[in-house]
Amino acid sequence: MNINCETPNKGNILIVDDLPENLQLLSDALLNLGYTVRSVTSGRMALKTVQVKRPDVILLDVKMPEMDGYQLCRLLKHNENFNSIPVIFISALDDVFDKVTAFKSGGIDYITKPFQIEEVVARLENQLTIQRQQWLLEQEVSQRRETEEVLYQSRALLASVLNSSLDGVAAMEAVRDRTTGDIQDFRCLVANPVIARALGNRREDTIGKLVLKKLLSHLDPELFDRFVNVVETGETLQQNFYDKSGESSWFHFVAVKLGDGFAITIRDITARKKAEFQLQQQAESLELTLRELKRTQAQLIQSEKMSSIGNLVAGVAHEINNPVNFIHANLRPANEYFQDLLNLVKLYQEHFPNPPTKVTAQIDAINLDFLKEDLLKLLNSMRVGTDRIREIVLSLRNFSRHDESECKRVNIHQGIDSTLMILQHRLKQTRENSEILVIKDYDQLPPIECYSGQLNQVFMQLLNNAIDSVSAQCMEEQGEIKIKTQLISNNRISIKISDNGLGIPQEIQSKLFDPFFTTKPVGKGTGLGLFISHQIVVNKHSGNLYCNSQIGQGAEFVVEINTTTNC
């Protein structure tokens, strides 16, 4: 049986056995499987070794000189620093008495010699898994305690802020009709003393009560429908309202959606309104005075200014008229040209198939690679411009419009292979770059329900970036791009595209999927590729796209999507 190890340093194992050949056998086998192994030949040496560095698991022989395995295990279990280390006994003793003694000594498992390395690894992994789960549980308990403390402090702070605020603050929960689901009223969940007074009740009599609809029926019945609109649409509502009944007449409030209800902040602005009214009266008086002054001034200087004003207006009109006419005249044809390019790209996408066998045979018959290379040479002068235009138009199209391609079940491997075929000319050896080796590790995947054209565009972007990274690094070793697909759960798959290129600095990894962000030289990239790819994976397929990279160790982009998509 072959046991594959994908993760190095799976665990720190201490082997205690007085027979060197047993130590050698176990050590070599576990080291090859990725474990960190230390081995000693006696119980006393084991105690010293444990004190130097605590192991994750101890594999312990029973029969040893000076101190047997039972004694060593008891000493470890009586030491509070080491009593949690799992001890697995490995012995040729097969009697029930020996096994019972081992477990009474504190052992957690017992393996009988001769043993199979697969059995040892399985039992090791079982104990390591239990340790990891215990550690995760302790971390979760600690985090929950911290969260509870933070929550307690937050509640205390919130209560302090609410009670000391000069503004009225409240949170309302919608009360819906059970049959129709329509909002009938709002229940007050939180209210500070200020807003309770504004509602005409004590704070204790306000919380938990249906008070809003009754109150608004006296103030402004239309306000209730506006609060309902806040809950149903999520739009923020803020306005002033006038209350004739109280001492304070003017209020300003802001209502925002909060769960299935809204939070509202109310401020008394009566003093401000009075000041505004006084200022308005003063402004009107000053406006009348200013008008009189301007009329008098105009009469005095009209004759002197009319000529210069006329020339100034004519000059300004002339200078503005030309660029405005130029822009206006070019808007329509520019729009038509752009629409034509978009339609051409759309037509290309709609008619880009995975070639059938007959077409593949014809491609081989006409030596398509030679024709493409020769055609590129013939059209080099046009390609410099047209390729760049098509790239920009394609990126902008996906950035600004929804793709109209069909959602259906496809073989995701075919999409990757077709993308690799398109990029074959970039993978081959040229005068400037050596050949790039593509290593494919495909898992058995079910048909995936997706927008295949858009996912192919994602693969094209990620593979192009990988090729650029590998080509940009001057390496003596072989340039490689690895593509690995995996079924990570019953209804979710991952596609990993990694390279051994330059890698991506940690400080810019968070910006990779921002629009118009690029690390390429001017003219080499639009900064839209990864942004559009992220939109396709996350928004269109409810998936995830992220990057793992370190400088000098290449980069890995991971696409995770569900096998079924609600499209």
Side-chain angles (χ1 to χ4, degrees), residues 223-236:
L223 269 181
F224 181 81
D225 295 332
R226 294 174 189 169
F227 287 134
V228 170
N229 185 66
V230 171
V231 178
E232 301 294 2
T233 66
E235 296 180 359
T236 299

Side-chain angles (χ1 to χ4, degrees), residues 289-320:
T289 303
L290 181 60
R291 287 178 183 176
E292 292 297 327
L293 289 174
K294 286 183 176 181
R295 185 180 295 110
T296 303
Q297 184 182 28
Q299 292 174 352
L300 293 174
I301 63 176
Q302 181 177 10
S303 58
E304 290 81 5
K305 294 293 184 180
M306 283 302 298
S307 177
S308 59
I309 290 175
N311 292 334
L312 177 62
V313 170
V316 171
H318 176 74
E319 292 298 324
I320 293 177

Side-chain angles (χ1 to χ4, degrees), residues 143-312:
Q143 290 176 359
R144 288 192 177 184
R145 288 175 179 171
E146 293 177 359
T147 303
E148 290 175 356
E149 179 62 23
V150 171
L151 182 60
Y152 174 79
Q153 297 294 338
S154 299
R155 287 177 174 174
L157 177 61
L158 178 60
S160 175
V161 171
L162 289 177
N163 293 331
S164 61
S165 175
L166 299 178
D167 296 333
V169 182
M172 300 290 180
E173 179 186 39
V175 177
R176 297 180 180 270
D177 186 280
R178 293 185 179 181
T179 303
T180 64
D182 296 335
I183 297 178
Q184 302 297 315
D185 203 341
F186 290 94
R187 178 179 289 107
C188 182
L189 299 180
V190 176
N192 68 346
V194 175
I195 203 167
R197 289 194 298 270
L199 295 175
N201 294 318
R202 296 186 306 165
R203 180 171 175 270
E204 295 76 11
D205 297 333
T206 301
I207 296 177
K209 301 298 191 299
L210 305 179
V211 297
L212 188 62
K213 192 170 187 178
K214 181 179 179 181
L215 174 67
L216 295 180
S217 63
H218 300 292
L219 296 177
D220 184 356
E222 293 182 358
L223 269 181
F224 181 81
D225 295 332
R226 294 174 189 169
F227 287 134
V228 170
N229 185 66
V230 171
V231 178
E232 301 294 2
T233 66
E235 296 180 359
T236 299
L237 174 65
Q238 59 176 329
Q239 69 177 66
N240 299 333
F241 72 91
Y242 182 67
D243 181 13
K244 300 178 180 179
S245 59
E247 296 179 359
S248 298
S249 301
W250 282 98
F251 296 90
H252 176 80
F253 72 85
V254 179
V256 296
K257 180 177 174 60
L258 180 65
D260 192 28
F262 66 92
I264 185 170
T265 303
I266 299 178
R267 175 171 295 181
D268 186 345
I269 58 171
T270 303
R272 191 185 77 184
K273 280 292 184 180
K274 290 180 178 179
E276 288 177 355
F277 179 72
Q278 294 176 353
L279 289 175
Q280 184 178 1
Q281 288 182 323
Q282 294 176 1
E284 290 175 355
S285 176
L286 290 174
E287 180 69 22
L288 291 175
T289 303
L290 181 60
R291 287 178 183 176
E292 292 297 327
L293 289 174
K294 286 183 176 181
R295 185 180 295 110
T296 303
Q297 184 182 28
Q299 292 174 352
L300 293 174
I301 63 176
Q302 181 177 10
S303 58
E304 290 81 5
K305 294 293 184 180
M306 283 302 298
S307 177
S308 59
I309 290 175
N311 292 334
L312 177 62

Side-chain angles (χ1 to χ4, degrees), residues 394-412:
L394 180 61
S395 298
L396 290 175
R397 178 186 181 279
N398 285 279
F399 177 65
S400 58
R401 300 205 319 173
H402 293 292
D403 195 277
E404 300 175 0
S405 61
E406 183 182 359
C407 178
K408 57 184 180 181
R409 289 189 175 274
V410 297
N411 184 339
I412 206 74

Side-chain angles (χ1 to χ4, degrees), residues 43-61:
R44 297 189 183 281
M45 293 178 63
L47 288 175
K48 294 181 179 179
T49 304
V50 168
Q51 292 175 353
V52 172
K53 184 175 182 181
R54 176 191 176 97
D56 296 322
V57 179
I58 298 176
L59 296 178
L60 179 59
D61 189 20

Side-chain angles (χ1 to χ4, degrees), residues 106-125:
I108 49 84
D109 207 343
Y110 194 99
I111 302 174
T112 305
K113 297 179 183 178
F115 54 79
Q116 296 291 330
I117 188 62
E118 289 85 354
E119 179 186 2
V120 175
V121 171
R123 300 199 183 198
L124 271 177
E125 282 299 320

Side-chain angles (χ1 to χ4, degrees), residues 454-524:
Q454 294 187 13
L455 279 186
N456 289 346
Q457 188 177 4
V458 174
F459 300 148
M460 176 76 75
Q461 179 64 39
L462 298 181
L463 288 169
N464 261 321
N465 287 350
I467 293 172
D468 290 340
S469 178
V470 172
S471 300
Q473 184 172 11
C474 181
M475 301 181 299
E476 296 181 358
E477 63 184 59
Q478 173 71 53
E480 291 182 356
I481 295 177
K482 297 180 180 179
I483 306 173
K484 180 178 181 179
T485 62
Q486 186 178 8
L487 185 66
I488 57 179
S489 65
N490 291 335
N491 64 340
R492 197 167 180 87
I493 67 167
S494 70
I495 303 102
K496 299 180 180 179
I497 299 177
S498 58
D499 61 72
N500 61 345
L502 295 169
I504 302 173
Q506 188 70 29
E507 59 270 16
I508 69 170
Q509 289 186 25
S510 60
K511 305 177 183 178
L512 288 177
F513 304 108
D514 293 346
F516 303 110
F517 177 80
T518 180
T519 59
K520 297 178 181 179
V522 177
K524 294 292 185 179

